[in-house]
Structure formats: C-alpha cells, structure tokens
Amino acid sequence: QVQLVESGGSLVQTGESLRLSCVASGSISSVRYMAWHRQAPGKQRELVATITSDGSTNYRDSVKGRFTISRDNAKNTMYLQMNSLKPEDTAVYYCQAITPSSDRWGQGTQVTVSS
C-alpha cells in the first residue's frame, strides 16, 4: 500500500510563498485521484485542490489563482505551490491518494501565515 509523507510546511508572513510536497512510498502513476486538504484549528477539514491521473485539476474558490497543484509521477510526488499566502491559509495540510483499493492519507504538515 502507498504511504504518504508531507513536507514543506513552515511559518511565513502574509504574501509569501511555500511549496508543499507529498512523497509516496510507491508508484503514483496508477493513482487516479490525489488531493490536498487542510484543517485549521477548531474547523472541519476542507478540500483544497485535486488532481487526476490525466492532470485535470480543481481548486476551492478561496485559493484559485494563488495555489497550484501538480504531480510528478517519475518522482512519486505531488506538490502544492502556494503563493500570496494569507493568515486564513493557516492550517495543517494533508495529502490524499485514492486508488480502486485504498484511500491513503499523510500525517500532515503545518502551515502558519502571520499577519
């Protein structure tokens, strides 16, 4: 089964950028659906962005134009490029990979945006 590990979270100031990585222990070339989610303190987890095996992407409205999701199957890695960060982007970010037989999640990486 694929194991996922996120990295790249940090404390940044408003307007700065971060790139999150989600490295899979196995090949993701056959993973049809991958996603980034986030959970802020006291709030429910929310879907941030998705990417399919053919490269189709979708974003929640609040991050459109600022965040970019991508995947590199050769490196078994998914990315989330986050630009123009805002304090409301502060959360733990999780990656997810769904295959026909499994639904895997990483342990999360903390992103904190100071005002």
Side-chain angles (χ1 to χ4, degrees):
Q1 290 184 333
V2 172
Q3 305 293 324
L4 305 175
V5 178
E6 303 97 334
S7 63
S10 182
L11 169 63
V12 296
Q13 295 186 341
T14 296
E16 293 186 337
S17 298
L18 279 176
R19 187 176 78 158
L20 305 183
S21 299
C22 172
V23 179
S25 59
S27 174
I28 64 170
S29 59
S30 63
V31 178
R32 294 186 177 183
Y33 176 94
M34 300 188 74
W36 286 99
H37 301 254
R38 67 187 181 188
Q39 187 166 20
K43 295 186 178 181
Q44 291 188 334
R45 189 172 298 188
E46 60 185 23
L47 179 62
V48 177
T50 64
I51 186 167
T52 61
S53 55
D54 64 0
S56 297
T57 59
N58 275 293
Y59 301 89
R60 70 180 302 107
D61 287 345
S62 62
V63 307
K64 285 181 180 178
R66 300 188 297 123
F67 289 12
T68 303
I69 188 172
S70 62
R71 59 192 284 176
D72 185 338
N73 291 342
K75 295 182 179 181
N76 298 327
T77 302
M78 177 177 66
Y79 303 98
L80 185 67
Q81 178 66 43
M82 306 186 294
N83 299 329
S84 303
L85 282 162
K86 304 175 181 180
E88 51 264 44
D89 294 318
T90 294
V92 178
Y93 284 71
Y94 300 89
C95 63
Q96 179 192 24
I98 295 180
T99 72
S101 60
S102 67
D103 181 1
R104 309 300 297 180
W105 291 77
Q107 82 292 345
T109 185
Q110 176 70 48
V111 173
T112 303
V113 185
S114 64
S115 57

Tab-separated table of all heavy atoms in Angstrom, residues 1 6 14 17-18 20 25 27 31 44-45 47 50 56 72 77 79-80 87-88 92 95 98 100 109-110 115:
chain	number	residue	atom	x	y	z
A	1	GLN	N	0.827	-1.182	0.000
A	1	GLN	CA	0.000	0.000	0.000
A	1	GLN	C	0.869	1.241	0.000
A	1	GLN	O	1.939	1.272	0.571
A	1	GLN	CB	-0.911	0.005	1.222
A	1	GLN	CG	-2.008	-1.041	1.176
A	1	GLN	CD	-2.938	-0.937	2.370
A	1	GLN	OE1	-2.531	-0.468	3.428
A	1	GLN	NE2	-4.161	-1.375	2.194
A	6	GLU	N	4.050	14.185	3.910
A	6	GLU	CA	4.071	15.590	3.503
A	6	GLU	C	5.271	16.298	4.110
A	6	GLU	O	5.775	15.920	5.173
A	6	GLU	CB	2.803	16.326	3.965
A	6	GLU	CG	1.485	15.739	3.500
A	6	GLU	CD	0.856	14.841	4.531
A	6	GLU	OE1	1.600	14.262	5.367
A	6	GLU	OE2	-0.391	14.699	4.533
A	14	THR	N	2.442	37.073	5.623
A	14	THR	CA	1.430	37.325	4.591
A	14	THR	C	2.097	37.746	3.287
A	14	THR	O	3.011	38.574	3.285
A	14	THR	CB	0.468	38.426	5.061
A	14	THR	OG1	-0.235	37.965	6.217
A	14	THR	CG2	-0.553	38.732	3.973
A	17	SER	N	5.401	32.806	-0.124
A	17	SER	CA	5.057	31.566	-0.814
A	17	SER	C	5.652	30.355	-0.109
A	17	SER	O	6.651	30.468	0.600
A	17	SER	CB	5.592	31.601	-2.249
A	17	SER	OG	5.007	32.660	-2.988
A	18	LEU	N	5.033	29.209	-0.324
A	18	LEU	CA	5.532	27.927	0.144
A	18	LEU	C	5.200	26.872	-0.903
A	18	LEU	O	4.217	27.000	-1.627
A	18	LEU	CB	4.868	27.518	1.461
A	18	LEU	CG	5.363	28.096	2.770
A	18	LEU	CD1	4.482	27.610	3.919
A	18	LEU	CD2	6.812	27.738	3.035
A	20	LEU	N	4.509	22.803	-0.817
A	20	LEU	CA	4.361	21.567	-0.077
A	20	LEU	C	4.625	20.385	-1.001
A	20	LEU	O	4.309	20.434	-2.189
A	20	LEU	CB	2.955	21.452	0.507
A	20	LEU	CG	2.477	22.604	1.386
A	20	LEU	CD1	1.087	22.286	1.950
A	20	LEU	CD2	3.452	22.899	2.503
A	25	SER	N	5.424	6.314	-1.031
A	25	SER	CA	6.411	5.238	-0.879
A	25	SER	C	6.441	4.336	-2.105
A	25	SER	O	7.409	3.593	-2.295
A	25	SER	CB	6.091	4.407	0.364
A	25	SER	OG	4.782	3.855	0.259
A	27	SER	N	4.767	3.783	-6.401
A	27	SER	CA	4.413	4.499	-7.625
A	27	SER	C	3.032	5.125	-7.530
A	27	SER	O	2.097	4.510	-7.019
A	27	SER	CB	4.453	3.544	-8.816
A	27	SER	OG	3.976	4.186	-9.984
A	31	VAL	N	-2.356	6.049	-9.634
A	31	VAL	CA	-3.281	6.694	-8.704
A	31	VAL	C	-4.096	7.721	-9.459
A	31	VAL	O	-3.566	8.728	-9.921
A	31	VAL	CB	-2.526	7.365	-7.540
A	31	VAL	CG1	-3.523	8.074	-6.623
A	31	VAL	CG2	-1.729	6.329	-6.761
A	44	GLN	N	-13.497	22.241	10.528
A	44	GLN	CA	-13.503	20.963	9.844
A	44	GLN	C	-12.456	20.932	8.740
A	44	GLN	O	-12.073	21.970	8.194
A	44	GLN	CB	-14.893	20.701	9.253
A	44	GLN	CG	-15.973	20.446	10.290
A	44	GLN	CD	-17.283	20.011	9.666
A	44	GLN	OE1	-17.581	20.332	8.522
A	44	GLN	NE2	-18.069	19.266	10.422
A	45	ARG	N	-12.014	19.729	8.426
A	45	ARG	CA	-11.098	19.570	7.311
A	45	ARG	C	-11.795	19.965	6.021
A	45	ARG	O	-12.971	19.637	5.818
A	45	ARG	CB	-10.602	18.129	7.240
A	45	ARG	CG	-9.488	17.891	6.249
A	45	ARG	CD	-8.927	16.481	6.375
A	45	ARG	NE	-8.345	16.234	7.688
A	45	ARG	CZ	-7.651	15.137	7.980
A	45	ARG	NH1	-7.473	14.206	7.062
A	45	ARG	NH2	-7.165	14.979	9.195
A	47	LEU	N	-11.387	20.469	1.588
A	47	LEU	CA	-10.665	20.121	0.382
A	47	LEU	C	-10.093	21.383	-0.241
A	47	LEU	O	-10.799	22.372	-0.427
A	47	LEU	CB	-11.622	19.441	-0.602
A	47	LEU	CG	-11.064	19.009	-1.949
A	47	LEU	CD1	-9.974	17.964	-1.768
A	47	LEU	CD2	-12.186	18.455	-2.825
A	50	THR	N	-7.505	19.267	-6.100
A	50	THR	CA	-7.434	17.889	-6.549
A	50	THR	C	-6.727	17.809	-7.902
A	50	THR	O	-6.725	18.788	-8.680
A	50	THR	CB	-8.828	17.265	-6.704
A	50	THR	OG1	-9.543	17.962	-7.743
A	50	THR	CG2	-9.618	17.356	-5.410
A	56	SER	N	-5.977	16.717	-14.761
A	56	SER	CA	-7.083	17.647	-14.520
A	56	SER	C	-7.056	18.118	-13.072
A	56	SER	O	-6.857	17.316	-12.165
A	56	SER	CB	-8.409	16.966	-14.819
A	56	SER	OG	-8.501	16.611	-16.177
A	72	ASP	N	4.357	14.736	-10.075
A	72	ASP	CA	5.470	14.228	-10.866
A	72	ASP	C	5.501	12.724	-10.647
A	72	ASP	O	6.038	12.252	-9.640
A	72	ASP	CB	6.777	14.898	-10.428
A	72	ASP	CG	7.959	14.501	-11.295
A	72	ASP	OD1	7.903	13.437	-11.938
A	72	ASP	OD2	8.939	15.257	-11.316
A	77	THR	N	5.680	12.011	-6.475
A	77	THR	CA	5.473	13.180	-5.629
A	77	THR	C	4.372	14.083	-6.164
A	77	THR	O	4.278	14.289	-7.380
A	77	THR	CB	6.772	13.996	-5.509
A	77	THR	OG1	7.809	13.154	-4.977
A	77	THR	CG2	6.592	15.179	-4.571
A	79	TYR	N	2.682	18.014	-5.460
A	79	TYR	CA	3.075	19.305	-4.908
A	79	TYR	C	1.870	20.225	-4.745
A	79	TYR	O	0.852	20.074	-5.413
A	79	TYR	CB	4.075	20.004	-5.828
A	79	TYR	CG	5.317	19.215	-6.118
A	79	TYR	CD1	5.445	18.472	-7.289
A	79	TYR	CD2	6.380	19.202	-5.205
A	79	TYR	CE1	6.583	17.740	-7.556
A	79	TYR	CE2	7.529	18.472	-5.471
A	79	TYR	CZ	7.625	17.744	-6.648
A	79	TYR	OH	8.761	17.021	-6.905
A	80	LEU	N	2.042	21.193	-3.863
A	80	LEU	CA	1.083	22.292	-3.772
A	80	LEU	C	1.899	23.574	-3.654
A	80	LEU	O	2.510	23.837	-2.613
A	80	LEU	CB	0.151	22.151	-2.579
A	80	LEU	CG	-0.950	23.207	-2.494
A	80	LEU	CD1	-1.939	23.042	-3.652
A	80	LEU	CD2	-1.701	23.129	-1.161
A	87	PRO	N	-3.320	34.915	6.195
A	87	PRO	CA	-3.477	34.298	7.517
A	87	PRO	C	-4.553	33.208	7.532
A	87	PRO	O	-4.412	32.218	8.261
A	87	PRO	CB	-3.867	35.481	8.404
A	87	PRO	CG	-3.207	36.650	7.755
A	87	PRO	CD	-3.313	36.387	6.278
A	88	GLU	N	-5.590	33.365	6.739
A	88	GLU	CA	-6.652	32.357	6.705
A	88	GLU	C	-6.228	31.052	6.032
A	88	GLU	O	-6.985	30.081	6.049
A	88	GLU	CB	-7.910	32.905	6.022
A	88	GLU	CG	-7.666	33.548	4.672
A	88	GLU	CD	-7.529	35.058	4.766
A	88	GLU	OE1	-6.834	35.558	5.688
A	88	GLU	OE2	-8.107	35.750	3.882
A	92	VAL	N	-3.183	22.771	9.122
A	92	VAL	CA	-2.404	21.579	8.832
A	92	VAL	C	-2.862	21.074	7.470
A	92	VAL	O	-4.071	20.916	7.231
A	92	VAL	CB	-2.600	20.489	9.895
A	92	VAL	CG1	-1.806	19.237	9.524
A	92	VAL	CG2	-2.162	21.003	11.267
A	95	CYS	N	-2.165	15.391	2.466
A	95	CYS	CA	-2.345	14.879	1.121
A	95	CYS	C	-3.105	13.552	1.187
A	95	CYS	O	-3.078	12.851	2.187
A	95	CYS	CB	-1.028	14.728	0.389
A	95	CYS	SG	0.149	13.556	1.082
A	98	ILE	N	-6.162	8.274	-3.690
A	98	ILE	CA	-7.236	7.277	-3.778
A	98	ILE	C	-6.979	6.368	-4.970
A	98	ILE	O	-6.784	6.836	-6.092
A	98	ILE	CB	-8.607	7.958	-3.930
A	98	ILE	CG1	-8.926	8.765	-2.668
A	98	ILE	CG2	-9.687	6.912	-4.171
A	98	ILE	CD1	-10.272	9.468	-2.725
A	100	PRO	N	-8.342	2.321	-6.607
A	100	PRO	CA	-9.535	1.463	-6.519
A	100	PRO	C	-9.610	0.637	-5.245
A	100	PRO	O	-10.688	0.200	-4.850
A	100	PRO	CB	-9.391	0.572	-7.762
A	100	PRO	CG	-8.639	1.402	-8.733
A	100	PRO	CD	-7.634	2.162	-7.896
A	109	THR	N	1.283	18.491	7.439
A	109	THR	CA	2.376	19.438	7.627
A	109	THR	C	1.763	20.801	7.957
A	109	THR	O	0.789	21.215	7.329
A	109	THR	CB	3.290	19.505	6.388
A	109	THR	OG1	4.414	20.348	6.657
A	109	THR	CG2	2.560	20.033	5.163
A	110	GLN	N	2.341	21.478	8.956
A	110	GLN	CA	1.762	22.724	9.459
A	110	GLN	C	2.199	23.911	8.623
A	110	GLN	O	3.397	24.117	8.381
A	110	GLN	CB	2.186	22.947	10.908
A	110	GLN	CG	1.708	24.269	11.506
A	110	GLN	CD	0.229	24.306	11.746
A	110	GLN	OE1	-0.350	23.373	12.313
A	110	GLN	NE2	-0.436	25.387	11.333
A	115	SER	N	0.277	37.657	10.150
A	115	SER	CA	-0.211	38.902	9.538
A	115	SER	C	0.717	40.061	9.814
A	115	SER	O	1.671	39.942	10.557
A	115	SER	CB	-1.604	39.230	10.063
A	115	SER	OG	-1.575	39.326	11.471
